Every structure is written in C-alpha cells, then in structure tokens.
Amino acid sequence: MGFTEITFLFIVMPVSVLLYFLSAAGKRITACNFLLAVFSIAVYYWVSPETLLFFLVFTLCAYACGVAVSAGKKNSGKTHSASRKTSNKSKNGKGKLVPAVVGICLFTLTLAFFKYIPAIMKAFGEKKIFGTPFAKIAVPVGISFITFEAISYIVDVYRGDAPCGSILDVFLFISFFPKIVSGPIVLWKDFYPQLKNRKSDSDGATQGIDLIIIGFAKKAIIADTFGNQIALILKGMAGYGADAGMHWLIAILYFFQIYFDFAGYSDIAIGLMKIFGFDIKANFDSPYTSASITEFWRRWHISLGTWFREYVYIPLGGNRRGNVYVNLSVVFLLTGIWHGANLTFIVWGALHGFFVVTERAVRNIKKRRSEKRLAEAGEAASSDVESASAVRKVLAVVGAVLNHVRTLIIVFVGWMLFRSDSLTAFGKEVAAMFDFVSPDGMVFTWRFYLNGKIFILLAIAVFSSFAALIKLPEAVKKNAENAAVLAIRRLALLALFAVDIIFIVNSTYSPFLYFQF
C-alpha cells in the first residue's frame, strides 16, 4: 500500500490518527503504543498477508536476541566483578557477544536469502530454490529496512545505548506502519526513549500535517507525473524509435523523479510519525545543492548514511583506526549491495565510494600543503595580502560553482546507472544520448513529450531542488511567526493539499521507486 493510494489517504491515515488521539485522551502511553502496534500489524497484513507469519517470527527473534544480549550483559558484569582477581577477562562479555553475533548473522542471512541468493542462483542457471520457483517466493515487505532496524536494536542493546525494552516496544519499533515499507531507517537508541516519553499536541500535529501535504506534493504532483511521462516515452520509443533528446529527457526526468519520490515519501512518513508524537530526523536536506559527493551523502537518504556510519564505518575504525579509505570503500560498496544484487547497483555504490575516497584524499593533501605554506610563509605587505585575498575570493566562487557542477554530473550519471537493468543497457543509453541522427520513420521527438505541464513541473522541481542555495528556506523560517506570513502559508498549504488530492484521484501511475528495496 502506497501513501498516495486512495485507501491509505482516505481510510488508513485518518482512522489511525482518530483512534490514536482517542486512545491518547486517556494519557496512557502504553495503551497508545499497543494501539499503534496492533494497527501497524493490521496494515502489514493488508499489504502482504502471505508474509505476516514471517514478519511476526522475525520480530520475535529480534526481541529474543535483545533479551539474550541484555541478560548476557548483566551476567558478564557479575562475572567481571567475581573474577577480577582470577584473570578471567577473556570470558567477560561473551555472554552478550554470542547472542549479538548470532542475531546479526541471522538477520543478515535472511536478507541475503530474499534479495541476493535468487539472483546469484539465476546467474548459474538455476530456476528454483528448495524446489520453489523464484517467482513464487514471497519477499517480505520492507525486508531491507526491517533488517537494518533489527540489527540496530541488537547492537544498541549490546552497546548499552538503550535497554532491550518490552516485546510491545520491539513490535512497534519494527512494525510501525509509516516507516515499515521504505523507511526512513530509525535507530533503536533514538526510538526507545520516545516510546516511554512523548507528547502528542496540536503543534506537533500541525507540523506533521504540513510535512504530509508537502510530501504528497513532491510524490503525487512531481514524481508521479514525471514517472508517468517516462513510461509514455518508453512506450513511444518501443513503437516509433527515439532521438537523442528523448534519452536526455528520460534521464533528466528520472533525476528529479527519484529525489522527489523518495523525499516525498519520507516527508509523509515523518509527518505522520510526528502526529503520533515521534520526533524523527529529516531524511533529505536539499541534496542537489551539494558541492561534493561527500556532502551529497550527508544530505541524501540521511537515515541510511547514519546507519552505515553507526554500525559499519565506526566499527571498522572510522577516521581513527585502520585505513580510512578502505573503510569508506567498504561502506559504499555495501551501500550499493544493499540496494540489490544487480551489478549496476554495486557499480553505482563503488562509483560514489571512489569519489568520496578521492575527495577525502584531495582534502588531506590540500590540508598538508596549506599547513606547510603557513609554516614557511613570512610576513607580507598589507597590499599584497589584500590583493591575494581578493584573488582568493574570486577563485573560491569559481571553485564552488565548478564543484557544484561536477557533483551534479556525477550524481546524474550515477542515477542513469542506478536505473539501468545492466551495464550493457547503461552503455547503450549513454551512447544514444550522443547519437544525434534521428532514426528513420520516427513519429515523435522529445518536443512532443516536453509539453507545457511537464515544462512547468520541471521548472518547479529545479527551483525546489536548488532553493537552499539562495537561502530561501532560512528566510521563510525567520519570518515563520509573522501573522501575515503564517496566514499566507496556511492558505498556500490548503491550496496545495487540494491540488494533491486532484493529482492523486486522477493518477493512473503511482509506484514508489524504493518499494523494491
């Protein structure tokens, strides 16, 4: 069930909010959590009844591992006190380490079974696994996301960042319906305190509704329209051929579709959770304004980047132990693999990893050179300093522009690779973009598909994506308390919501790109 489906918009969302606030009126947070957990499991059953049993067992296993880790932690603490004088240090902590490792391996292998084993076996010509055709294996909804959250739960309990909680806490954490299908990924140590202490008030509800309206606009108005247009172009290409402009138009539309699709989904999920009193960090922060690939990954799918930093990069050594370049490479290779077994995802992850590593290396070299020059430099005349300062400012501006352009090109090419079914298909697509000889008998050109509606939405998408460069969001926040600005904002959001509804009701195309992950 997608957020932009009529069923979710007019039944699931309003009913869940109404029932929650009726429950919250009693001011018993456990009852509220129980209601949300039951409702979330009901939604899961509605979306994927054939995998509900798997999901329940999966969650129970996560809880059992957390309890075992917590119990082992207490026992190892006692052992440590009792054996301080008997050189038993090698055994201390094993009580919690074993169940933690078992749990992490169990969930990692489960993810591999559903996402990677079929692809690997297909590569060797196999068509079945355990006698069942691959096509008949029901992949649990949101398997990548619930696996990462289960691992977060185990590791955070192991580290002592949060207690194991009750079985109700764990069920709600993993099953919470706004985020279960495609995130954002929430860490147990961030979620657990809010299970025990949060408030649902009018301010939070207002902020949540605002986010939901904006999220629907990103998803239903921009992303779905672009996705539908791409489908029409591909259909036309299959029947009548294509010129280079059509290939460029597909790539540009997809460049914005994938951003607004996922950012819109995240806004809706975070907004809905905010209505329920949960304060979840933003998942996107104007990623297309980045001046480097490193910055891009601080702004894109922030929850995924946070998970990899917490549970892969830092345990590998991070910036302090081992080889930082190897650590970064491993993280981005795993990021690509996480998205799927297709070779294009792996190469996409490796591509981003290469540029992040390169940027880190260049930054380190520049830092050493700068320190060396400062150490060797003598006193300069004030006029020389002023002249050098002016030149540096000009060079800094030019450099910033070039860095933005370079980053956008890398991201743009990366999304083409991400979208392709194979490296061969990617190569053909790139070649077609620079083949300016139109095929014989072609009826439609790119001009036919770049109609007025698409052109206007592209202009809106470009402005929205890069508005942060002119500090527009900051200016809006500064004047947020102004009565006139507030009134205009409310009216604009109401009008936007009406447009959202029109697009949702009339849409025949509303898939969510990240459902596949």
Side-chain angles (χ1 to χ4, degrees), residues 180-321:
I180 189 172
V181 175
S182 291
I185 300 168
V186 181
L187 308 187
W188 172 248
K189 63 182 178 182
D190 295 331
F191 194 80
Y192 177 78
Q194 300 184 64
L195 286 168
K196 305 303 177 184
N197 183 26
R198 67 180 187 275
K199 62 177 182 177
S200 306
D201 53 24
S202 58
D203 289 340
T206 300
Q207 293 173 19
I209 291 169
D210 290 353
L211 267 176
I212 290 170
I213 292 172
I214 293 170
F216 275 129
K218 291 177 180 177
K219 175 73 176 77
I221 298 176
I222 297 179
D224 285 355
T225 302
F226 288 175
N228 184 57
Q229 198 69 358
I230 290 172
L232 290 174
I233 296 171
L234 292 174
K235 186 177 179 180
M237 287 170 57
Y240 304 103
D243 58 0
M246 289 168 71
H247 291 278
W248 277 99
L249 184 57
I250 288 173
I252 292 169
L253 290 175
Y254 187 79
F255 178 81
F256 289 107
Q257 182 200 4
I258 193 168
Y259 168 48
F260 283 94
D261 192 72
F262 199 13
Y265 182 98
S266 295
D267 284 347
I268 298 169
I270 292 170
L272 190 52
M273 286 189 279
K274 191 173 284 290
I275 291 175
F276 295 133
F278 292 91
D279 188 15
I280 306 300
K281 297 174 184 176
N283 206 22
F284 291 85
D285 182 17
S286 302
Y288 288 166
T289 63
S290 303
S292 66
I293 297 299
T294 303
E295 183 184 355
F296 173 80
W297 277 99
R298 293 195 192 108
R299 294 173 175 270
W300 175 273
H301 204 341
I302 297 169
S303 64
L304 180 66
T306 301
W307 192 95
F308 272 109
R309 185 185 70 242
E310 289 283 333
Y311 306 116
V312 179
Y313 183 65
I314 291 176
L316 283 174
N319 302 331
R320 299 183 178 183
R321 291 185 291 108

Side-chain angles (χ1 to χ4, degrees), residues 101-422:
V101 171
V102 169
I104 292 170
C105 290
L106 172 66
F107 295 125
T108 303
L109 289 172
T110 301
L111 179 63
F113 173 80
F114 286 108
K115 290 194 68 169
Y116 311 116
I117 299 301
I120 293 171
M121 294 183 71
K122 280 182 182 178
F124 288 96
E126 295 292 334
K127 297 181 180 180
K128 296 181 179 181
I129 184 168
F130 302 137
T132 304
F134 296 130
K136 292 187 177 181
I137 296 177
V139 179
V141 172
I143 183 64
S144 298
F145 293 89
I146 64 175
T147 298
F148 271 26
E149 291 188 336
I151 292 174
S152 167
Y153 168 69
I154 293 171
V155 175
D156 286 352
V157 172
Y158 174 81
R159 290 174 174 173
D161 293 334
C164 63
S166 68
I167 189 168
L168 173 61
D169 296 335
V170 178
F171 260 98
L172 180 56
F173 171 60
I174 296 179
S175 70
F176 201 16
F177 74 92
K179 65 178 180 62
I180 189 172
V181 175
S182 291
I185 300 168
V186 181
L187 308 187
W188 172 248
K189 63 182 178 182
D190 295 331
F191 194 80
Y192 177 78
Q194 300 184 64
L195 286 168
K196 305 303 177 184
N197 183 26
R198 67 180 187 275
K199 62 177 182 177
S200 306
D201 53 24
S202 58
D203 289 340
T206 300
Q207 293 173 19
I209 291 169
D210 290 353
L211 267 176
I212 290 170
I213 292 172
I214 293 170
F216 275 129
K218 291 177 180 177
K219 175 73 176 77
I221 298 176
I222 297 179
D224 285 355
T225 302
F226 288 175
N228 184 57
Q229 198 69 358
I230 290 172
L232 290 174
I233 296 171
L234 292 174
K235 186 177 179 180
M237 287 170 57
Y240 304 103
D243 58 0
M246 289 168 71
H247 291 278
W248 277 99
L249 184 57
I250 288 173
I252 292 169
L253 290 175
Y254 187 79
F255 178 81
F256 289 107
Q257 182 200 4
I258 193 168
Y259 168 48
F260 283 94
D261 192 72
F262 199 13
Y265 182 98
S266 295
D267 284 347
I268 298 169
I270 292 170
L272 190 52
M273 286 189 279
K274 191 173 284 290
I275 291 175
F276 295 133
F278 292 91
D279 188 15
I280 306 300
K281 297 174 184 176
N283 206 22
F284 291 85
D285 182 17
S286 302
Y288 288 166
T289 63
S290 303
S292 66
I293 297 299
T294 303
E295 183 184 355
F296 173 80
W297 277 99
R298 293 195 192 108
R299 294 173 175 270
W300 175 273
H301 204 341
I302 297 169
S303 64
L304 180 66
T306 301
W307 192 95
F308 272 109
R309 185 185 70 242
E310 289 283 333
Y311 306 116
V312 179
Y313 183 65
I314 291 176
L316 283 174
N319 302 331
R320 299 183 178 183
R321 291 185 291 108
N323 188 313
V324 65
Y325 304 123
V326 172
N327 297 343
L328 286 169
S329 299
V330 169
V331 166
F332 279 94
L333 185 61
L334 290 176
T335 300
I337 293 172
W338 178 82
H339 282 86
N342 198 323
L343 186 59
T344 53
F345 293 134
I346 298 171
V347 175
W348 171 78
L351 174 73
H352 279 264
F354 170 78
F355 283 105
V356 169
V357 167
T358 302
E359 289 167 0
R360 174 66 67 93
V362 170
R363 188 168 73 241
N364 289 341
I365 292 170
K366 285 182 177 179
K367 183 179 178 181
R368 287 195 294 268
R369 286 181 178 176
S370 178
E371 291 172 349
K372 185 177 180 181
R373 278 197 297 267
L374 287 172
E376 295 175 351
E379 292 185 0
S382 60
S383 59
D384 292 339
V385 172
E386 290 176 3
S387 176
S389 177
V391 171
R392 280 198 295 269
K393 286 180 180 178
V394 173
L395 290 176
V397 171
V398 173
V401 172
L402 291 177
N403 284 336
H404 279 292
V405 172
R406 174 184 62 85
T407 302
L408 285 175
I409 291 172
I410 295 169
V411 173
F412 182 82
V413 173
W415 287 142
M416 289 181 60
L417 183 62
F418 191 88
R419 178 179 166 272
S420 300
D421 294 329
S422 65

